[in-house]
């Protein structure tokens, strides 16, 4: 397989371009929405009216999804740098900023492969010697046991992972941050791979084990019903029709194949199944996505897609008293042989959930006794877990390939944090590459939180939840004016969703902060709301600019990870690949790597 189109030198050049752009704009991304009024953020950064920004963004977003042509991105003016005045450092040309932001996103930089391009390259490359994983032939319908977003992600990523495994001639997959096991189960049942799902949550691991147990129980019921129908000579019904008929006999807790469980540590935190909102650092928990649970009425249909290799058929039962001694011995011997064969066959299509907190130093062979050469994957691994996955891939000779999709950039630790607060112990998550480490690159937590925003969704008018942000910023003014406190060991938390009005919101927040609410009358509180309401357009326009910068900050983080792989001598291939539709799954880019054949050894 040939190397990706971008060399290490080219990736470093792209990094330089993005860093130059962010050097002029990162201060906007790092401005905290909570401090928007107390620090007079608009006047500090903007020399244009908010209406101009809103109009420019609306016009620009209409063309946002058009293909970007590198080299025709934008033209920088002599008196400005990316739309900012060279003298005052305030924004004077909104259109120039928006154009420059598009040019410095991953699509504008021209560094990504499409999923189809990657699959074509993998399928046309020669597989190494070995036994490729068997294709089970059963066509699973993931929509029947997961929501549409997760179904899109699992189907798109599993095909890539299966092709990587076949390309490397391996049968095992290690799923880091496996959560509820959706990807692991699909890789096992659909693609015949032996998957080890590792998650730090014992609740998730137990839930995955329970789902496997219920799958087996459903399969036994399915086969029993099939045997009964055969005995009655009723063989014309389809498996789905049969499962629908026996549904009434499976009501109760065993009717749930994928039951409720704890949130996976690898789920995206920037979505909630509603229009995306800017996330305040004081309100991170409210931005955690809670995926919808599957519909129990359709989950039984999942079994209709299981391969015959997974469900073992049985012969009609004859009472033991009617069998001869020879027949009983023969059947006993056949049963033992069949069980041994099943254990051997099913070992290659098994999903084994494991509970462990993994880092780059984790010894995989201590967790997995049967470990062979494998592909390592991670679907929306949070924070430092994504760079740890790449470090592990580089360090472990048994790992032949990696496919990592990260998320939750605000949870990354940074090595060059000026305050020295984020990376007190161990290895930091950013920067990963030697190139950016030599430059002492630093983003900042608010900027990394901005990188979690979904530009594509906002561009299509799904909007930003402005009122909650406005409430919090005005509360900060009240805290400054009447309580002389800007920070507290206690957090305001998500009191907005419980509040009936701004006055109710402020009183709930003051009680949460253990502050004396009797100092303010309702009229006083409402006065703050009314006085700042006319400036809400400023906050809306400013937050749209933060959304515009999100892909550039995410791009720098992902280019750093790609640069890290390209710095390794044993890599035969590495690339950034857009796996998902960003409207369905905003964290849509995967870092994919393959090792050279000669540099892999199996212990």
């Amino acid at each position: 397989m040939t190397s990706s189109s971008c060399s290490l030198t080219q990736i470093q050049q792209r990094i330089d371009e993005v860093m130059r752009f962010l050097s002029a704009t990162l201060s906007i991304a790092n401005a905290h929405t909570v401090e928007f009024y107390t620090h007079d953020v608009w006047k500090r950064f903007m020399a244009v009216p908010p209406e101009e920004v809103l109009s420019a963004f609306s016009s620009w977003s209409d063309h946002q999804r058009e293909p970007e042509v590198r080299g025709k991105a934008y033209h920088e003016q002599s008196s400005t740098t990316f739309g900012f005045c060279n003298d005052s450092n305030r924004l004077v040309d909104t259109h120039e900023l928006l154009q420059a932001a598009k040019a410095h996103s991953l699509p504008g930089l021209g560094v990504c492969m499409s999923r189809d391009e990657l699959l074509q390259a993998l399928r046309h490359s020669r597989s190494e010697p070995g036994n490729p994983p068997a294709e089970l032939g059963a066509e699973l319908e993931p929509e029947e046991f997961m929501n549409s977003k997760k179904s899109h992600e699992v189907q798109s990523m599993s095909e890539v992972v299966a092709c990587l495994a076949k390309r490397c001639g391996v049968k095992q997959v290690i799923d880091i941050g496996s959560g509820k096991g959706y990807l692991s189960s699909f890789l096992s049942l659909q693609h015949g791979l032996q998957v080890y799902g590792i998650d730090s949550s014992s609740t998730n691991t137990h839930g995955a084990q329970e789902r496997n147990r219920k799958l087996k129980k459903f399969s036994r019921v399915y086969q029993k019903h099939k045997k009964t129908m055969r005995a009655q000579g009723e063989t014309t019904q389809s498996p789905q029709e049969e499962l629908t008929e026996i549904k009434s006999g499976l009501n109760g807790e065993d009717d749930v194949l994928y039951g409720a469980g704890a949130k996976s540590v690898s789920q995206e935190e920037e979505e909630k199944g509603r229009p995306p909102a800017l996330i305040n650092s004081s309100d991170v928990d409210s931005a955690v996505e809670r995926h919808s649970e599957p519909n129990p009425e359709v989950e039984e249909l999942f079994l209709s897609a299981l391969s015959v290799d997974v469900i073992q058929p049985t012969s009609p039962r004859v009472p033991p008293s009617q069998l001869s001694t020879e027949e009983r011995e023969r059947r006993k011997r056949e049963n033992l042989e069949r069980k041994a064969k099943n254990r051997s066959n099913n070992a290659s299509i098994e999903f084994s959930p494991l509970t462990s907190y993994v880092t780059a130093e984790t010894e995989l062979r201590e967790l997995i006794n049967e470990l062979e050469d494998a592909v390592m994957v991670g679907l929306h691994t949070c924070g430092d877990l994504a760079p740890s996955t790449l470090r592990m891939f580089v360090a472990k000779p048994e790992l032949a390939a990696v496919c990592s999709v990260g998320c939750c950039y605000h949870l990354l630790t940074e090595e060059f944090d000026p305050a020295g607060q984020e990376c007190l112990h161990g290895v930091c998550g950013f920067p990963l590459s030697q190139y950016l480490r030599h430059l002492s690159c630093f983003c900042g937590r608010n900027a990394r939180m901005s990188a979690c925003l979904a530009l594509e969704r906002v561009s299509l008018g799904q909007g930003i939840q402005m009122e909650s942000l406005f409430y919090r910023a005005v509360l900060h003014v009240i805290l400054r004016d009447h309580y002389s406190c800007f920070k507290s060991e206690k957090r305001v938390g998500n009191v907005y969703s419980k509040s009936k009005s701004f006055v109710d919101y402020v009183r709930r927040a003051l009680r949460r902060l253990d502050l004396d609410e009797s100092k303010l009358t309702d009229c006083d509180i409402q006065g703050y709301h009314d006085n700042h309401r006319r400036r809400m357009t400023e906050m809306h326009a400013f937050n749209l600019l933060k959304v515009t910068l999100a892909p550039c900050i995410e791009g720098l983080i992902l280019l750093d990870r790609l640069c890290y792989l390209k710095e390794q001598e044993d890599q035969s291939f590495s690339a950034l690949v857009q796996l998902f539709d960003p409207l369905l799954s905003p964290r849509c880019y995967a870092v994919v790597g393959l090792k050279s054949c000669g540099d892999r050894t199996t212990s």
Side-chain angles (χ1 to χ4, degrees), residues 63-70 102 107-108:
H63 306 286
Q64 175 59 22
R65 293 181 66 83
E66 293 180 0
E68 182 67 62
V69 180
R70 179 165 172 78
K102 186 175 182 180

Side-chain angles (χ1 to χ4, degrees), residues 30-44:
N30 270 317
H32 207 305
T33 307
V34 167
E35 301 168 340
F36 189 79
Y37 297 120
T38 57
H39 288 189
D40 205 357
V41 169
W42 183 263
K43 185 176 180 180
R44 177 184 170 191

